[in-house]
Amino acid sequence: MEKLKVAVAGLGRIGKIHLKNLCRNFPEIEVLAVMDVFDESEAIAREFNIPVFVKDFDELLAVSGVDAVVICSPTDTHADYVVKAAKAGKNIFCEKPLDLSLSRVLEVLKIVDESGVRLMMGFNRRFDPEFKRIRQLVEDGSVGDVHIVKITSRDPAPPPVSYIKVSGGLFLDMTIHDFDMARYISGKQVKEVFAKGTVMVDPEIGKAGDIDTAVITLTFEDDTMAIIDNSRKAVYGYDQRLEVFGNKGMAIAENNFPNNHKLYTHAGVSGDLPLHFFLERYEASYNQEVREFIDALVSGGDMPVDGKDGLLSIAIGLAAKKSMEEGRPVKVNEILG
Amino acid sequence: MEKLKVAVAGLGRIGKIHLKNLCRNFPEIEVLAVMDVFDESEAIAREFNIPVFVKDFDELLAVSGVDAVVICSPTDTHADYVVKAAKAGKNIFCEKPLDLSLSRVLEVLKIVDESGVRLMMGFNRRFDPEFKRIRQLVEDGSVGDVHIVKITSRDPAPPPVSYIKVSGGLFLDMTIHDFDMARYISGKQVKEVFAKGTVMVDPEIGKAGDIDTAVITLTFEDDTMAIIDNSRKAVYGYDQRLEVFGNKGMAIAENNFPNNHKLYTHAGVSGDLPLHFFLERYEASYNQEVREFIDALVSGGDMPVDGKDGLLSIAIGLAAKKSMEEGRPVKVNEILG
Amino acid sequence: MEKLKVAVAGLGRIGKIHLKNLCRNFPEIEVLAVMDVFDESEAIAREFNIPVFVKDFDELLAVSGVDAVVICSPTDTHADYVVKAAKAGKNIFCEKPLDLSLSRVLEVLKIVDESGVRLMMGFNRRFDPEFKRIRQLVEDGSVGDVHIVKITSRDPAPPPVSYIKVSGGLFLDMTIHDFDMARYISGKQVKEVFAKGTVMVDPEIGKAGDIDTAVITLTFEDDTMAIIDNSRKAVYGYDQRLEVFGNKGMAIAENNFPNNHKLYTHAGVSGDLPLHFFLERYEASYNQEVREFIDALVSGGDMPVDGKDGLLSIAIGLAAKKSMEEGRPVKVNEILG
Amino acid sequence: MEKLKVAVAGLGRIGKIHLKNLCRNFPEIEVLAVMDVFDESEAIAREFNIPVFVKDFDELLAVSGVDAVVICSPTDTHADYVVKAAKAGKNIFCEKPLDLSLSRVLEVLKIVDESGVRLMMGFNRRFDPEFKRIRQLVEDGSVGDVHIVKITSRDPAPPPVSYIKVSGGLFLDMTIHDFDMARYISGKQVKEVFAKGTVMVDPEIGKAGDIDTAVITLTFEDDTMAIIDNSRKAVYGYDQRLEVFGNKGMAIAENNFPNNHKLYTHAGVSGDLPLHFFLERYEASYNQEVREFIDALVSGGDMPVDGKDGLLSIAIGLAAKKSMEEGRPVKVNEILG
């Protein structure tokens, strides 16, 4: 079988993970070219024996034979790159979010749609073994009808304030994953959002116009609910838990740990902290999402996360922002228009 | 030392528990009399060698030498009995809630206050070993400043619809415990409530004007938050969990189980369900709350849960009700006036 | 129904527990008299309103109307008291062990047998909810045929050396419970014992001729095996665990804790130590064993732990002692003759 | 830096794992050649772009430039291949055991020693994150002086009887890992072995002269002890647990699971089975042992598991065999002479 030819744009933290996975774990793939604006990234390309390294996205698209592009560049480039790739007829894997502006997202999705190329959004947590197992327990009926979804999502430490300023805010930068998770796990659409946020971690975050601690209530179209709680700083590390309660049972996904040891001493029973952050915690998910992207490309089946999923998470995020600002629940349709 | 003389009003489920504890586990107490409207309860009085059994609360108060009354009769008698006991100069332990009407509660508390007797409200969960331990971890600074409180409180099965009709609704009947817990665990006052509720368990509950599934967001005065989720029916039994997240750590209280066994078979790893319902789950708490009531009486120290605690839980409950009805966050001060 | 009349001999730690249970939790029982050699114990009798307090076992037996005696006096009185009680026609509950000498045990059991009274040995751990649940999983076939039994039994701290000197040694004082548990859980008879012991906790224990750390392998009659490990000192408290492995599965009983909380901080995840020692850990079992003793008396059914059970645990203990001394596996039949 | 040149002998299950790790996870290594007796294995070599595929070990050694060989061929070839590699001046990583005959092992180790090449034995479990963490807790003093080691090691299903016949028996094939673990975790030498074994899983195993269920007591030189229990068939999967008890505490390594989910239904609380077998359970360890082999080669530091470790595990295994056959504890020195 002929190998699928891929190009990768952006060699930051996530870009490097995808590149490594593509090169080492997918014999059916060939990475033809990588692009990054920094000269230093050329060394990475060389390490993985990638024949072409460029610094411009147009040049990347111009490399002969590319079937699909994997876009891991900064958020503010996503929309442009997706549009260019779509117009060039390349299938696309794009990290979330597509853009922070809803109108731009709608515009981009229209272009993608018209182009006929296929687009997958990189909501990697859907591919995490813990959460996938919970989803499966919902799908196979073990949990029954879903009444309540609970998501805890806390980071070990906030990003630099400089990043926060351009992040789109906590709801679009961090909670967006949880909005997608609430939809994925329940299989339901979100109707209304009520969000409360505050600054407890670092006043500088507040000065930058953002919050660092939040609690969000989502109401699904059938009036069942999800609750999400976020913090930019859990001193004990990355806290990623999920619970689904239904009329037949409850399924819980606990945190993942580097090992399961317990130490009993006169001082108590203790164990190690959870896996530190997303690179460790979601390592398997990054590989699995690329696996399913490729499978969908090859099989022609549905993309496991598509442009509409990307759009809806952004709309929920914008509703959360508005809810917090106006102190009232906000319908997602107010945002989508 | 002379024994403290106690009278008990109401021998329903909770009344029997208190009577048994008072008779068996408190050598420093003597139960002089019990009162219940049902003839059948006389047998219980006899089983515990209680010298006096009456069917009328005034008669109970008239028994010579009573220092304190323990009120476990139906909710709609609480206010009257407390007023009578206060006027008779008896110290009072009263099951929650004092009344479903805020103005009546305020009236009663005023009378209690003027009478000089001492009143403890029976929020038993504060005395549960699990939750007490979490509170201690907050108090000793292990958790640091509290940023988020999470309470899960689900019953194994709904009460009869006839009961629901007079219960005051889910928020005043069931969530009232969680409102008190949020205040107790955090040591903070609630400023605002946003509540969403729906009917997922039994349409008859909806017809009775109530809900059976709810998610409530509380905002404390310092803008930190608590989230509560309730269901009238968890098929796996009584689900009572608590989590406190702060800037120094997180403390979690898990469910209690009849045993810790695990069975590994070809089908998976399994264990028993949590303790079935409140009588089993909170057995220790019922004893401990009476312990602390007596200690406060004897020492003259503060009551661990006082009338104001009772008042505030009701006010939060009424705010939740209004929030759900009007689809907006409601300030507790709107209720308290 | 007429109440069963009971007398209690010995008001040490266990005696007080049994007395309290008998007085408070068994309305169908009346404790007519208690006996203890210490004057101070009279106050305890008075606290529980026991009409008769004596200092001599014969006097206790002479109290009119006693149906059964509960013997909780020191080990070296057990045999005498049981013989006297049997000859006086009283049913007997006796704490383990009957005696440290096998010939004396055989002699006593013969007398009991001839007297026609009924004898239950106080192996309380059989009545622990954790272990009872495991036994039930063996009985109902969940575990299948039992291949391996594992018992961990470690004390939080050694008793005084003065006690160790008269204790009969670790195997007869401490492991005897585990020998009984191995038989109870598996439902099998022990054929051979191999024991290794050493002094790691306190050299004084060694000077007293005993060991404080041991590992024992039991071989059942069907050649399946049990392994027991003991220590006189686990700095983290009382360690009581059990595991049964069979051809259909494995059942594990974990330690019991005062609460299930977990604290996450930057230093790790921690929880409280197990319940400290046998009084806390086996509280429920002491009540339950008396429950089943009474039920057997009333119903006329089999005693849940009989004299033969007492005999066999002692025989296994003596085999363990011999095995350690001679450095070879010893058949229980070598001991029983 | 120049790459280390490696050759791999044997492309069975373990050989493939090592080959994959060497090719994908170690940029500092170059695999020059692989050898396997089966023609089919050439395809594997091609998949990993290995330039040379041979079917004979001598040819493998003859490949120019090889620094080290990784021997994963069947057990009965180990001794010969190690001798040849040593004589050819190649450093060696060899899967356990070196040989089933003690005299042959001694002979081989002498040759290796004289040749000056470096040898690492593939006891992969030492490199498992769970067990490494426990070892670290012993080393850093958290556990204190080690008094008791407990190892549970059970396979999900027995190998074919044809394999069992040439395996050297349960003690040398399966328990050999646990013997090594007992030494590694405690840092102590084994003085005496007492082993009991029986046939509970499959009578065919008995007919083949082997056992399938075993309990082994090891006595270390300081008279502390280890207990190991084995079964060829745990219906719930691969059971790999470890416990170390010392005078300052106890450390436990629990089984590893594919996820941490829990499902609560009316039937109980359940979770998934442990990772199925050694390929899944010890995946990380296979990579890590090669990591440390290479590090030791490059740094010139001590091999983390050397020939003497291989020798001692075999000697303990032979002592266990003799103990079981003769029904008595056997000193390891009886075997070593």
Side-chain angles (χ1 to χ4, degrees):
Chain A
M1 201 189 78
E2 211 181 334
K3 293 192 177 194
L4 199 77
K5 307 296 192 309
V6 176
V8 176
L11 289 182
R13 284 191 300 192
I14 296 291
K16 269 185 275 187
I17 287 175
H18 285 314
L19 181 61
K20 189 175 161 185
N21 279 329
L22 288 164
C23 291
R24 293 197 178 155
N25 300 319
F26 296 91
E28 68 268 52
I29 277 188
E30 194 177 343
V31 181
L32 289 189
V34 299
M35 169 250 152
D36 194 87
V37 295
F38 294 107
D39 289 327
E40 300 83 67
S41 300
E42 190 164 2
I44 301 166
R46 227 177 294 123
E47 185 190 327
F48 286 93
N49 298 316
I50 310 300
V52 177
F53 173 79
V54 298
K55 297 178 68 179
D56 179 86
F57 191 70
D58 293 319
E59 287 182 60
L60 191 76
L61 289 180
V63 171
S64 167
V66 169
D67 297 306
V69 288
V70 172
I71 300 174
C72 325
S73 48
T75 294
D76 60 5
T77 66
H78 290 180
D80 284 354
Y81 288 6
V82 168
V83 166
K84 285 179 173 183
K87 289 184 174 166
K90 311 297 183 194
N91 293 306
I92 306 162
F93 174 98
C94 182
E95 279 301 318
K96 61 94 213 167
L98 211 36
D99 198 84
L100 300 176
S101 146
L102 193 78
S103 58
R104 181 68 173 131
V105 169
L106 287 165
E107 195 177 67
V108 170
L109 291 181
K110 190 156 173 282
I111 292 165
V112 169
D113 205 42
E114 290 166 358
S115 74
V117 304
R118 311 186 62 204
L119 168 67
M120 172 165 164
M121 292 303 302
F123 283 102
N124 64 295
R125 294 186 195 172
R126 291 192 181 204
F127 307 94
D128 173 65
E130 295 287 343
F131 300 155
K132 250 184 137 60
R133 187 73 177 90
I134 302 295
R135 174 60 194 157
Q136 187 189 330
L137 290 166
V138 172
E139 275 180 352
D140 71 15
S142 300
V143 167
D145 299 333
V146 174
H147 292 183
I148 299 170
V149 173
K150 284 168 63 183
I151 298 170
T152 290
S153 178
R154 301 169 188 153
D155 282 356
V161 172
S162 58
Y163 172 85
I164 281 182
K165 283 177 181 164
V166 300
S167 69
L170 185 114
F171 296 134
L172 285 173
D173 179 53
M174 187 171 159
T175 328
I176 193 168
H177 275 295
D178 308 314
F179 296 141
D180 185 62
M181 186 53 60
R183 295 179 60 246
Y184 166 66
I185 281 292
S186 67
K188 300 181 184 187
Q189 296 305 334
V190 173
K191 181 170 70 176
E192 186 197 277
V193 184
F194 180 74
K196 297 289 293 188
T198 183
V199 178
M200 299 303 290
V201 172
D202 184 355
E204 292 302 314
I205 293 174
K207 286 182 197 159
D210 202 0
I211 52 169
D212 52 36
T213 305
V215 164
I216 304 105
T217 304
L218 304 179
T219 307
F220 295 113
E221 286 187 340
D222 64 355
D223 286 324
T224 58
M225 293 152 285
I227 38 183
I228 298 165
D229 74 275
N230 294 145
S231 172
R232 283 285 193 188
K233 185 172 182 183
V235 292
Y236 53 86
Y238 200 40
D239 194 347
Q240 299 284 302
R241 287 171 290 149
L242 178 63
E243 179 180 325
V244 184
F245 172 78
N247 69 333
K248 291 201 180 151
M250 168 177 67
I252 296 185
E254 297 285 352
N255 278 313
N256 285 8
F257 292 82
N259 61 69
N260 295 316
H261 99 270
K262 280 189 191 166
L263 176 67
Y264 288 65
T265 68
H266 71 279
V269 182
S270 60
D272 285 335
L273 289 176
L275 289 170
H276 183 62
F277 207 0
F278 65 98
L279 295 181
E280 298 88 0
R281 171 66 180 82
Y282 289 119
E283 190 184 352
S285 76
Y286 291 115
N287 195 54
Q288 183 62 20
E289 69 174 353
V290 172
R291 167 86 280 147
E292 300 196 19
F293 172 62
I294 293 164
D295 288 350
L297 282 189
V298 170
S299 71
D302 285 346
M303 280 293 163
V305 202
D306 61 18
K308 203 187 165 197
D309 291 316
L311 168 71
L312 288 173
S313 290
I314 292 162
I316 298 168
L318 292 169
K321 216 168 161 181
K322 197 170 193 181
S323 168
M324 185 179 68
E325 284 162 8
E326 304 186 0
R328 64 173 181 92
V330 170
K331 297 266 187 288
V332 176
N333 276 342
E334 276 192 50
I335 304 298
L336 286 174
Chain B
M1 201 189 79
E2 213 183 332
K3 293 193 175 191
L4 199 76
K5 308 294 193 309
V6 175
V8 175
L11 289 182
R13 284 190 300 191
I14 297 290
K16 269 185 274 187
I17 286 175
H18 285 314
L19 181 61
K20 187 175 162 186
N21 279 330
L22 288 164
C23 293
R24 294 198 176 153
N25 299 321
F26 297 92
E28 68 268 53
I29 276 189
E30 195 178 339
V31 181
L32 290 190
V34 298
M35 170 248 149
D36 195 87
V37 296
F38 294 107
D39 289 327
E40 301 82 67
S41 299
E42 191 164 0
I44 301 167
R46 226 177 295 123
E47 185 189 328
F48 286 94
N49 299 314
I50 310 299
V52 178
F53 174 77
V54 298
K55 296 179 67 178
D56 179 85
F57 191 69
D58 292 319
E59 287 182 60
L60 191 76
L61 289 179
V63 172
S64 167
V66 168
D67 297 307
V69 288
V70 172
I71 299 174
C72 324
S73 47
T75 294
D76 58 6
T77 66
H78 288 181
D80 283 354
Y81 288 5
V82 167
V83 166
K84 286 179 174 185
K87 288 184 172 165
K90 311 297 184 194
N91 292 306
I92 306 161
F93 175 99
C94 181
E95 279 301 319
K96 62 94 212 168
L98 211 35
D99 198 84
L100 300 176
S101 145
L102 193 77
S103 57
R104 181 69 175 132
V105 169
L106 287 166
E107 196 176 62
V108 170
L109 291 181
K110 192 156 170 284
I111 292 166
V112 169
D113 204 41
E114 290 165 358
S115 73
V117 305
R118 311 183 65 203
L119 168 67
M120 172 164 162
M121 293 303 302
F123 282 103
N124 65 295
R125 294 187 194 171
R126 289 191 181 205
F127 306 94
D128 173 65
E130 295 288 341
F131 300 155
K132 251 184 137 58
R133 187 74 177 92
I134 303 296
R135 173 60 192 158
Q136 188 189 328
L137 291 166
V138 172
E139 275 180 351
D140 72 15
S142 300
V143 168
D145 300 332
V146 173
H147 292 183
I148 299 171
V149 173
K150 284 168 62 184
I151 299 170
T152 290
S153 179
R154 302 170 188 153
D155 284 354
V161 172
S162 59
Y163 172 86
I164 281 181
K165 282 177 181 162
V166 299
S167 69
L170 185 113
F171 296 135
L172 285 174
D173 180 54
M174 186 170 160
T175 328
I176 193 169
H177 275 295
D178 308 315
F179 295 142
D180 185 64
M181 186 53 59
R183 293 180 60 246
Y184 166 68
I185 280 292
S186 67
K188 301 182 184 185
Q189 298 304 335
V190 174
K191 182 169 71 176
E192 186 196 277
V193 184
F194 180 74
K196 296 291 293 187
T198 183
V199 179
M200 300 302 292
V201 172
D202 183 356
E204 292 302 314
I205 293 175
K207 285 183 197 157
D210 203 0
I211 53 170
D212 52 36
T213 305
V215 164
I216 305 106
T217 304
L218 305 179
T219 307
F220 295 112
E221 286 188 339
D222 65 354
D223 286 326
T224 59
M225 293 151 286
I227 37 182
I228 299 165
D229 73 276
N230 293 144
S231 171
R232 284 283 192 188
K233 185 171 183 183
V235 292
Y236 53 87
Y238 200 40
D239 194 346
Q240 299 284 301
R241 286 171 291 149
L242 178 63
E243 179 179 324
V244 185
F245 171 78
N247 69 333
K248 291 200 179 150
M250 168 177 66
I252 296 185
E254 295 286 352
N255 279 313
N256 285 8
F257 293 82
N259 62 68
N260 294 317
H261 98 269
K262 280 189 190 165
L263 176 67
Y264 289 64
T265 68
H266 71 279
V269 183
S270 60
D272 285 335
L273 289 176
L275 289 171
H276 183 62
F277 207 180
F278 64 98
L279 295 181
E280 298 88 0
R281 172 64 181 82
Y282 289 120
E283 189 184 354
S285 77
Y286 291 116
N287 195 54
Q288 183 63 20
E289 69 174 352
V290 171
R291 170 87 277 151
E292 300 198 18
F293 172 60
I294 293 164
D295 288 350
L297 282 189
V298 170
S299 71
D302 286 346
M303 280 294 162
V305 202
D306 61 18
K308 204 188 163 195
D309 291 318
L311 169 70
L312 288 173
S313 290
I314 292 162
I316 298 169
L318 292 169
K321 218 168 159 179
K322 196 171 194 180
S323 169
M324 186 180 66
E325 284 162 8
E326 304 186 0
R328 64 173 181 92
V330 170
K331 297 267 187 285
V332 176
N333 276 343
E334 273 192 53
I335 304 297
L336 286 173
Chain C
M1 201 188 80
E2 212 183 333
K3 292 193 176 192
L4 199 76
K5 308 294 191 311
V6 174
V8 175
L11 290 181
R13 285 190 300 191
I14 296 291
K16 269 185 275 187
I17 287 175
H18 284 314
L19 181 61
K20 189 176 160 185
N21 279 330
L22 287 165
C23 293
R24 295 199 174 152
N25 300 321
F26 295 92
E28 68 269 54
I29 275 189
E30 194 178 342
V31 180
L32 290 189
V34 299
M35 170 248 151
D36 195 88
V37 295
F38 295 106
D39 288 327
E40 300 82 67
S41 299
E42 191 164 1
I44 301 166
R46 226 177 296 124
E47 186 189 327
F48 286 94
N49 299 315
I50 311 299
V52 178
F53 174 77
V54 298
K55 297 179 66 178
D56 179 85
F57 191 70
D58 292 320
E59 287 181 59
L60 191 77
L61 289 179
V63 172
S64 168
V66 168
D67 297 309
V69 289
V70 171
I71 299 174
C72 323
S73 48
T75 294
D76 58 5
T77 66
H78 289 179
D80 284 353
Y81 287 6
V82 167
V83 166
K84 285 179 175 184
K87 288 183 174 167
K90 311 296 183 194
N91 292 307
I92 306 161
F93 176 97
C94 182
E95 279 300 320
K96 61 96 212 169
L98 211 35
D99 197 85
L100 300 176
S101 145
L102 192 79
S103 57
R104 182 68 175 132
V105 169
L106 287 165
E107 197 177 64
V108 171
L109 291 181
K110 192 157 171 281
I111 292 165
V112 170
D113 205 40
E114 290 165 359
S115 73
V117 305
R118 310 183 65 203
L119 168 67
M120 172 164 162
M121 292 305 301
F123 282 103
N124 66 294
R125 294 185 194 172
R126 290 191 180 205
F127 306 95
D128 173 66
E130 296 287 343
F131 300 155
K132 252 184 135 57
R133 186 74 177 92
I134 302 295
R135 173 61 193 158
Q136 187 190 330
L137 290 166
V138 172
E139 275 179 351
D140 72 15
S142 300
V143 167
D145 300 332
V146 174
H147 292 184
I148 299 171
V149 173
K150 284 168 64 183
I151 299 171
T152 289
S153 178
R154 301 168 189 155
D155 283 356
V161 171
S162 59
Y163 172 86
I164 281 181
K165 283 177 183 164
V166 299
S167 69
L170 185 114
F171 296 135
L172 285 173
D173 180 55
M174 186 170 160
T175 328
I176 193 169
H177 275 296
D178 308 314
F179 296 142
D180 185 64
M181 186 52 61
R183 294 180 59 245
Y184 166 67
I185 281 292
S186 66
K188 300 182 184 185
Q189 297 305 334
V190 174
K191 181 169 71 175
E192 186 196 277
V193 184
F194 180 73
K196 295 292 292 189
T198 184
V199 179
M200 299 303 291
V201 172
D202 183 357
E204 293 301 314
I205 293 174
K207 286 182 198 159
D210 203 1
I211 52 169
D212 53 35
T213 304
V215 163
I216 305 105
T217 305
L218 305 179
T219 308
F220 295 112
E221 286 187 339
D222 65 354
D223 286 325
T224 58
M225 292 152 286
I227 37 184
I228 298 166
D229 73 274
N230 293 145
S231 172
R232 283 286 192 187
K233 186 172 182 182
V235 292
Y236 53 87
Y238 201 39
D239 194 346
Q240 300 283 300
R241 287 171 289 150
L242 179 62
E243 179 177 324
V244 184
F245 171 78
N247 70 332
K248 290 199 180 152
M250 169 177 66
I252 296 186
E254 296 286 351
N255 279 312
N256 285 8
F257 293 82
N259 62 69
N260 295 317
H261 98 269
K262 278 189 191 166
L263 175 67
Y264 289 65
T265 68
H266 70 279
V269 182
S270 60
D272 285 335
L273 289 176
L275 289 171
H276 183 61
F277 208 180
F278 64 100
L279 295 181
E280 298 87 2
R281 171 65 180 81
Y282 288 120
E283 190 184 351
S285 76
Y286 291 116
N287 195 54
Q288 183 63 20
E289 69 174 352
V290 172
R291 170 85 280 150
E292 300 197 18
F293 173 60
I294 293 164
D295 289 351
L297 281 190
V298 171
S299 72
D302 285 345
M303 281 292 161
V305 202
D306 61 18
K308 204 188 164 196
D309 292 317
L311 170 70
L312 289 173
S313 289
I314 292 163
I316 298 168
L318 293 169
K321 217 167 160 180
K322 196 170 193 180
S323 169
M324 185 179 67
E325 284 161 9
E326 303 186 0
R328 64 175 180 91
V330 170
K331 297 265 185 289
V332 177
N333 276 342
E334 275 191 54
I335 305 298
L336 286 173
Chain D
M1 201 190 78
E2 212 182 333
K3 293 194 177 192
L4 199 77
K5 307 296 193 306
V6 175
V8 175
L11 289 181
R13 285 189 300 189
I14 296 291
K16 269 184 273 187
I17 287 175
H18 285 313
L19 181 61
K20 189 175 162 186
N21 278 330
L22 288 164
C23 292
R24 293 198 177 154
N25 300 320
F26 296 92
E28 68 268 53
I29 276 188
E30 194 178 341
V31 180
L32 289 189
V34 298
M35 170 247 151
D36 194 87
V37 294
F38 294 105
D39 288 327
E40 300 82 68
S41 300
E42 190 163 2
I44 302 166
R46 225 177 295 123
E47 184 189 328
F48 288 93
N49 299 316
I50 310 300
V52 178
F53 174 77
V54 299
K55 297 179 67 179
D56 179 85
F57 191 71
D58 292 318
E59 286 181 60
L60 191 76
L61 289 179
V63 171
S64 169
V66 169
D67 297 307
V69 288
V70 172
I71 301 174
C72 325
S73 48
T75 294
D76 59 6
T77 66
H78 289 179
D80 283 353
Y81 287 7
V82 168
V83 166
K84 286 180 174 182
K87 290 185 173 164
K90 311 297 182 192
N91 293 305
I92 305 161
F93 175 97
C94 182
E95 280 301 318
K96 61 94 211 170
L98 211 35
D99 198 83
L100 300 177
S101 145
L102 193 80
S103 58
R104 180 69 174 131
V105 170
L106 287 165
E107 196 177 65
V108 171
L109 291 180
K110 191 157 173 281
I111 293 166
V112 170
D113 205 42
E114 289 165 358
S115 74
V117 304
R118 311 184 63 203
L119 168 66
M120 172 165 163
M121 293 303 302
F123 283 102
N124 65 295
R125 294 186 194 173
R126 291 191 180 205
F127 306 94
D128 173 65
E130 296 287 343
F131 300 155
K132 249 184 137 59
R133 187 73 177 91
I134 302 295
R135 173 62 192 158
Q136 188 189 329
L137 291 166
V138 172
E139 275 180 351
D140 71 16
S142 300
V143 167
D145 299 332
V146 174
H147 292 182
I148 299 171
V149 173
K150 284 168 63 184
I151 299 170
T152 289
S153 178
R154 302 169 189 154
D155 283 356
V161 171
S162 58
Y163 172 85
I164 281 181
K165 283 177 181 163
V166 299
S167 70
L170 184 113
F171 297 134
L172 285 173
D173 180 54
M174 186 172 161
T175 328
I176 194 168
H177 275 295
D178 308 313
F179 296 141
D180 185 64
M181 187 53 60
R183 294 180 60 245
Y184 166 67
I185 280 292
S186 66
K188 300 182 184 185
Q189 297 304 334
V190 173
K191 182 170 70 177
E192 187 196 277
V193 184
F194 180 73
K196 296 289 293 188
T198 184
V199 179
M200 299 302 292
V201 172
D202 183 356
E204 291 303 313
I205 294 174
K207 285 183 198 158
D210 202 0
I211 52 170
D212 52 36
T213 306
V215 164
I216 304 106
T217 305
L218 305 179
T219 307
F220 295 113
E221 286 187 339
D222 64 355
D223 286 325
T224 59
M225 293 152 286
I227 37 182
I228 299 165
D229 74 273
N230 293 145
S231 172
R232 281 286 192 188
K233 185 171 182 183
V235 292
Y236 52 87
Y238 200 39
D239 194 347
Q240 299 284 301
R241 287 171 291 151
L242 178 63
E243 178 179 327
V244 184
F245 171 79
N247 69 332
K248 291 199 179 153
M250 169 178 65
I252 296 186
E254 297 285 353
N255 278 313
N256 286 8
F257 292 81
N259 62 69
N260 294 316
H261 99 270
K262 279 189 192 166
L263 175 66
Y264 289 64
T265 68
H266 71 279
V269 183
S270 60
D272 285 336
L273 289 176
L275 289 171
H276 184 63
F277 208 0
F278 66 98
L279 294 181
E280 298 88 1
R281 170 67 180 81
Y282 289 120
E283 188 184 354
S285 77
Y286 290 116
N287 195 53
Q288 183 62 20
E289 67 174 354
V290 171
R291 168 86 278 148
E292 300 197 19
F293 172 61
I294 293 164
D295 288 351
L297 281 189
V298 170
S299 71
D302 286 345
M303 280 292 162
V305 203
D306 61 18
K308 204 188 164 194
D309 292 316
L311 170 69
L312 288 173
S313 290
I314 292 162
I316 298 168
L318 291 169
K321 216 168 162 179
K322 197 170 192 180
S323 169
M324 185 179 67
E325 285 162 7
E326 304 185 1
R328 63 174 182 93
V330 170
K331 298 265 185 288
V332 176
N333 276 342
E334 275 192 53
I335 304 299
L336 286 173

